Amino acid sequence: MLNPWLALEAGADPAERTRALLRAHEAFLTGAPVSAPVRQVVADSWRRCAGALVRPENVARLALTGADLAAHRDAHPLARVMPVVRELLGSVADDGAHLLSVCDERGRLLWVEGHPQVCRKAERMNFVPGARWAESAVGTNAPGTALAVDHAVQIFTAEHYCRPVQAWTCSAAPVHDPVTGRLLGAVDITGGDHLAAPQSLALVQATVRAAESALAGPAAGRPGAAAPALRALGRDEAVLDPDDGRPPVRLGRRHSEILLLLTAHPDGLSGDRLGRELYGDRDVTPVTLRAEMSRLRQLLGPLLASRPYRLRRPLRTDYDTVREALAADPAGALAAYRGPLLPLSEAPGVVRLRRMLEDRLRQRLLGAADPVLLEEWVGTPWGEHDLEAWEALLGAVPAGDPVRPRLATRVRELRDAFGLPDAYPP
């Protein structure tokens, strides 16, 4: 079966595929459903772009320039591993046909390297350092979509949502902090349609693995590096990253809930209290909880203690990363927020943590009134129907900005859907 993250199956005609994609793209823009041969990952991205009111003619805007760009680039964790990235992808960037780029977690390009002639050609679509290539800003593209779905992906010619990019093909993969699991950015190679081959995506993925290994190297002695980590945002089942060299462990749904609750209560929980946090008012016998804890202990070993149930060592979570960033760095908090906490969980304790984090993040974004951050929020599946955020975005965009009419239209649509009067007449 074809790998869904690869753009072309073996034997496909690139020219014919491009023509078919152009037809499907134009049909989608006129209101038709997405049709073959559009891949599911691309179809989902197009729908997100439409929901975020991305215009098909959009060109990336500069988000960082001059000294701000230089300072951000120098301070970014990925600066440490650029020698590794260049060593593995440098020949690609020097061959006169491709570009190597690295962006941060918000899709802002930090490095764009390659033959000067190719760089000049890419400048026409503002594929330059400092430009923001998040999916919610310039539509479907490999680095932006890799960040959006947190997976390596190829985007081929007319799979790009915005027309100025449809002459290019790119392969990108996200990079994570090996300690916290936090998304740091993405590595990308961009060029012609010959890049739509398995080897190009595999090369980018191998480069990312090498970069993450380098990040876990000598500098891993920073505070917190010795602690295991738990990733639970935007996941139905959490992933535990042990600190003993073992590969990541995907937990079952109940074990995900238990471990998350124990991290939120470092002093421990009695069996009765943990049962209420997990089951609420449901009639569940203590034997059921003890059986779950016994199975969890087989995974965690000495990390899990009893009487009360607690963790013997701190367990770093992506929930903590967002919560701690909220006070001083709303952009960092939003970048680290990969979605609702264990979104399918109905455990009362988890639901409470989920709502508290989302409410605090929303209020921080609304209070900051930063149009870039608000645009990112409403461009996500969990923010696309957030009327208050759409209204705040409309209020943050200056009068005369060409995006205001589209924003006002979206606000009217949402107010109508919620049965509210139209406060923004055309």
Side-chain angles (χ1 to χ4, degrees):
M1 186 174 70
L2 177 66
N3 182 338
W5 305 102
L6 294 175
L8 294 179
E9 66 274 18
D13 182 339
E16 175 54 37
R17 179 60 54 83
T18 296
R19 288 191 290 270
L21 288 168
L22 284 170
R23 291 192 294 269
H25 183 257
E26 292 304 312
F28 175 75
L29 294 179
T30 59
V34 184
S35 60
V38 182
R39 292 178 289 153
Q40 188 64 50
V41 63
V42 174
D44 292 342
S45 175
W46 286 3
R47 295 185 188 103
R48 288 194 298 270
C49 296
L53 301 182
V54 177
R55 293 180 296 174
E57 303 303 331
N58 269 11
V59 175
R61 297 182 179 183
L62 287 177
L64 293 168
T65 58
D68 291 337
L69 172 60
H72 179 63
R73 186 163 50 193
D74 291 345
H76 198 276
L78 292 181
R80 285 179 38 219
V81 296
M82 279 305 295
V84 174
V85 173
R86 292 188 179 105
E87 179 182 353
L88 295 174
L89 291 179
S91 61
V92 172
D94 293 336
D95 69 358
H98 303 89
L99 293 174
L100 158 64
S101 69
V102 176
C103 67
D104 69 7
E105 66 278 9
R106 293 173 60 190
R108 297 175 295 188
L109 296 177
L110 301 182
W111 294 272
V112 179
E113 301 176 359
H115 191 279
Q117 184 176 353
V118 187
C119 288
R120 285 193 295 271
K121 184 178 178 183
E123 287 174 4
R124 299 171 194 165
M125 59 178 182
N126 228 15
F127 196 78
V128 296
R132 182 166 168 262
W133 278 75
E135 190 183 76
S136 60
V138 289
T140 310
N141 69 91
T145 301
L147 294 176
V149 301
D150 200 11
H151 200 285
V153 65
Q154 282 180 339
I155 300 297
F156 171 72
T157 62
E159 289 181 331
H160 289 92
Y161 188 79
C162 293
R163 296 187 180 100
V165 197
Q166 290 181 340
W168 299 81
T169 292
C170 39
S171 296
V175 188
H176 299 87
D177 186 303
V179 175
T180 66
R182 176 178 174 176
L183 184 65
L184 298 178
V187 174
D188 167 80
I189 52 175
T190 293
D193 58 19
H194 53 280
L195 268 182
Q199 296 87 340
S200 64
L201 189 61
L203 179 58
V204 172
Q205 289 176 292
T207 300
V208 165
R209 286 194 294 270
E212 290 175 341
S213 296
L215 287 169
R222 59 190 185 275
L230 186 72
R231 291 176 275 153
L233 292 175
R235 300 172 181 271
D236 299 331
E237 297 177 327
V239 174
L240 175 65
D241 296 310
D243 61 339
D244 57 3
R246 287 184 296 154
V249 178
R250 183 174 183 139
L251 304 173
R253 192 165 297 176
R254 185 63 74 194
H255 287 169
S256 301
E257 295 168 339
I258 293 171
L259 202 49
L260 180 67
L261 290 169
L262 293 180
T263 65
H265 297 85
D267 293 333
L269 294 169
S270 67
D272 288 343
R273 173 73 185 282
L274 181 56
R276 290 195 299 273
E277 295 287 285
L278 284 172
Y279 306 114
D281 296 330
R282 291 167 51 198
D283 186 15
V284 178
T285 66
V287 173
T288 299
L289 178 59
R290 287 198 293 270
E292 293 285 4
M293 299 306 291
S294 177
R295 287 189 286 268
L296 183 58
R297 187 173 286 107
Q298 294 176 17
L299 288 174
L300 302 182
L303 180 62
L304 180 61
S306 302
R307 298 179 184 175
Y309 292 119
R310 65 192 187 281
L311 299 175
R312 287 195 170 95
R313 297 171 55 203
L315 183 65
R316 182 75 184 173
T317 70
D318 49 4
Y319 173 92
D320 295 322
T321 300
V322 175
R323 181 175 54 83
E324 293 167 4
L326 279 171
D329 184 16
L334 179 57
Y337 187 75
R338 305 305 300 165
L341 184 69
L342 296 180
L344 294 185
S345 173
E346 298 178 353
V350 175
V351 171
R352 185 168 57 252
L353 292 172
R354 181 197 305 144
R355 289 175 176 169
M356 181 171 62
L357 185 66
E358 182 169 326
D359 287 347
R360 288 184 61 195
L361 177 58
R362 283 187 68 255
Q363 292 307 313
R364 190 70 176 89
L365 297 176
L366 293 171
D370 183 327
V372 173
L373 298 183
L374 289 168
E375 183 184 25
E376 288 188 36
W377 176 259
V378 299
T380 64
W382 44 89
E384 63 180 334
H385 300 297
D386 188 336
L387 173 60
E388 191 175 2
W390 279 102
E391 290 182 325
L393 175 58
L394 179 59
V397 173
D401 191 303
V403 306
R404 281 188 63 87
R406 294 186 297 107
L407 294 178
T409 298
R410 179 59 173 163
V411 169
R412 286 195 297 271
E413 291 173 349
L414 288 175
R415 291 185 70 88
D416 181 65
F418 294 140
L420 298 173
D422 184 2
Y424 302 91

